[in-house]
Amino acid sequence: MMDKKPHIKPYLYGMLAGFGAISLSILFFFFIYRFDGFGDAVSKVTGILMPFIYGAVIAYLLKPVCNTIEGFLHRIFPEKLHSMANMLAIAATLLFGVLVVYALVMMVVPQLITSVTSLYYTAQTSITRFMRWVNTQEIFLDNETLMGYFNNAYDAIADNLTTLRTTLLPSLQNIQGILSGVGVGVMSVVTWFKNLLIGLIVAVYLLASRKKFAKQAKMILYSVVKPRWAQLIQEEVLYADKMFGGFINGKIMDSAIIGVLCYFACIIFKFPSALLVSVIIGVTNVIPFFGPFIGAVPATLLILIQSPIKAIWFVLFVLVLQQLDGNVIGPKILGNTTGLSSFWVLFSILLFGGLWGFVGMIVGVPLFAVIYDVIKKLVFHGLRRNGQLDQMTVYHDEFGDPGDPAPAPVEDEGTETEIVIDSGEE
């Protein structure tokens, strides 16, 4: 049956398009105008979901360990006992994680107490000796303004050292002091422990059901979008998982090796606070590009207060160690996993570090690498769609083979595409 009023359709589509544009403009204006309120709402939701965030992070970091243990147990146990092997793998994985954290705390806290105590007495003695020397110099005594600066600085440092001795040291020596000495309220501490405990429970569920969740997510994806787009989205998600998992786990392993090498070198060269300095260097090395510099500053200050000459040698040692890491150890472990140039690495660290702080500096590089990969595929798709053969040649020279990325999905109305959901294990 023919449409009796075909002329109405263009106007109807125009009205709908105009209404949609106006609605989006209003929503955008409301979002900008009420940005603070929107941020507060996001913060509130994030606070509610914090246990699940903790659990997801814990499960993601422990997933490679769980997969390794699970594969080992599957080779030992018969097939009918694989369910029990999975539970044992999860229990062993959580035990491994707890033991690693416990070992780090037991190594760092005593060394931190010793370093802070030594820092207090050494700094107090050095400052007192310096002020005695200043009071014997006529050039300073004749200048009241300069002497005022020295006296004010001495009083400020003395007050800080007193706070260090009366607050931080006692708080490091007992758990109750740790919770109160750093200015954290009791409710905040209880909330943190509650989130961590629930996060561990969530991590257990995620590790136990990770394969089931993957299958469900795949079915939902194929039910919402066209098969070709679903396949492309799935490939990009797998690429993101490979990027994040490989980069973060590789950086953790690389940083652990750097920390161990730094500890042995500190023992050999008799640098003070060897364990604490090595932990600082190892932990901050997780941050790409800026990590070595961030860790070297407090570590050098710890050594400088006790031995200025050794601090100079330590700076030289850190430079050599970072050259070894950047040219030998890091490339062997990580390779060129991100495919980003130094400029984009620096850009991603500054951008996401400014948005999310320390966490953003760690996840910024792999996250930007995923964004960069998506943009590359979209660019290639656009060039091929517009028939820009010359630019496609330039693309191949610049980025290599894109691996048939993101072609326009072909929709054949007369053809039904059968979707097979892989039920095998990951």
Side-chain angles (χ1 to χ4, degrees):
M1 182 177 179
M2 295 183 59
D3 190 356
K4 296 180 179 180
K5 299 179 179 180
H7 59 282
I8 296 179
K9 285 187 177 181
Y11 297 101
L12 180 61
Y13 293 153
M15 291 174 58
L16 291 176
F19 177 76
I22 294 172
S23 300
L24 290 175
S25 300
I26 293 174
L27 289 175
F28 180 75
F29 175 78
F30 179 79
F31 173 77
I32 297 297
Y33 182 73
R34 302 288 298 175
F35 184 78
D36 293 337
F38 180 78
D40 294 338
V42 172
S43 299
K44 185 175 181 180
V45 174
T46 303
I48 295 173
L49 297 178
M50 191 57 66
F52 292 90
I53 297 175
Y54 284 173
V57 172
I58 294 172
Y60 190 78
L61 292 177
L62 293 179
K63 184 183 70 171
V65 179
C66 187
N67 289 338
T68 302
I69 297 176
E70 187 177 274
F72 174 74
L73 293 178
H74 280 183
R75 291 193 295 269
I76 297 177
F77 286 76
E79 185 174 355
K80 59 183 179 181
L81 296 179
H82 278 187
S83 298
M84 185 178 69
N86 295 342
M87 293 298 102
L88 289 176
I90 294 172
T93 301
L94 290 178
L95 180 62
F96 170 80
V98 171
L99 289 177
V100 169
V101 174
Y102 177 77
L104 288 175
V105 171
M106 294 305 295
M107 285 191 303
V108 172
V109 171
Q111 182 66 39
L112 183 60
I113 295 174
T114 303
S115 299
V116 171
T117 305
S118 176
L119 173 65
Y120 168 73
Y121 290 110
T122 304
Q124 189 180 46
T125 302
S126 300
I127 293 172
T128 302
R129 187 183 301 116
F130 176 75
M131 288 303 298
R132 288 176 181 172
W133 177 80
V134 168
N135 289 323
T136 60
Q137 303 298 314
E138 293 183 2
I139 188 175
F140 297 127
L141 294 175
D142 294 339
N143 192 328
E144 296 182 359
T145 303
L146 194 58
M147 283 300 299
Y149 287 145
F150 279 124
N151 290 327
N152 291 334
Y154 175 76
D155 293 338
I157 295 174
D159 291 340
N160 291 330
L161 289 176
T162 301
T163 303
L164 183 72
R165 179 176 59 85
T166 59
T167 303
L168 184 57
L169 279 176
S171 63
L172 287 173
Q173 294 169 352
N174 58 85
I175 298 177
Q176 182 179 0
I178 291 177
L179 301 181
S180 60
V182 294
V184 181
V186 175
M187 289 303 298
S188 298
V189 175
V190 172
T191 302
W192 185 83
F193 275 112
K194 184 253 311 182
N195 291 339
L196 182 60
L197 180 60
I198 299 177
L200 289 173
I201 298 174
V202 172
V204 173
Y205 279 109
L206 290 176
L207 288 173
S209 305
R210 63 190 187 280
K211 298 175 183 177
K212 180 179 179 181
F213 287 156
K215 296 173 186 176
Q216 291 174 347
K218 187 175 181 180
M219 286 188 291
I220 293 173
L221 178 63
Y222 274 87
S223 68
V224 172
V225 299
K226 296 296 182 181
R228 181 56 178 164
W229 283 112
Q231 181 182 357
L232 293 172
I233 294 173
Q234 182 183 357
E235 290 175 357
E236 200 60 40
V237 170
L238 293 176
Y239 176 81
D241 176 66
K242 177 183 177 182
M243 183 64 61
F244 274 86
F247 181 82
I248 294 177
N249 293 327
K251 284 300 288 184
I252 291 175
M253 183 181 297
D254 174 50
S255 300
I257 294 174
I258 292 299
V260 171
L261 291 177
C262 181
Y263 176 74
F264 284 123
C266 289
I267 295 297
I268 294 172
F269 296 112
K270 297 182 179 179
F271 293 135
S273 305
L275 185 58
L276 181 59
V277 166
S278 303
V279 170
I280 293 174
I281 294 295
V283 170
T284 55
N285 194 71
V286 177
I287 302 174
F289 197 84
F290 290 110
F293 306 101
I294 295 174
V297 172
T300 304
L301 289 177
L302 283 174
I303 300 175
L304 178 65
I305 294 174
Q306 303 181 49
S307 177
I309 299 300
K310 289 185 177 180
I312 297 175
W313 286 109
F314 177 77
V315 170
L316 296 176
F317 163 72
V318 168
L319 292 176
V320 174
L321 182 64
Q322 294 307 324
Q323 288 298 316
L324 177 65
D325 178 39
N327 296 302
V328 180
I329 301 176
K332 289 291 184 182
I333 296 176
L334 292 171
N336 190 17
T337 54
T338 61
L340 297 177
S341 64
S342 300
F343 172 81
W344 291 119
V345 170
L346 178 61
F347 175 82
S348 60
I349 294 172
L350 291 176
L351 174 63
F352 293 103
L355 292 175
W356 302 327
F358 181 80
V359 175
M361 297 180 77
I362 297 176
V363 303
V365 174
L367 178 58
F368 190 82
V370 174
I371 298 173
Y372 190 81
D373 181 71
V374 172
I375 294 175
K376 282 200 308 181
K377 291 179 179 179
L378 291 176
V379 168
F380 183 83
H381 166 54
L383 292 176
R384 188 170 64 178
R385 180 188 59 196
N386 297 329
Q388 299 292 325
L389 299 180
D390 294 339
Q391 294 299 322
M392 289 177 64
T393 303
V394 175
Y395 181 98
H396 280 282
D397 295 338
E398 185 72 22
F399 302 111
D401 185 10
D404 191 26
V410 180
E411 300 181 8
D412 295 330
E413 296 181 357
T415 305
E416 295 184 359
T417 304
E418 181 182 1
I419 302 172
V420 180
I421 306 297
D422 185 12
S423 58
E425 295 182 351
E426 294 179 344

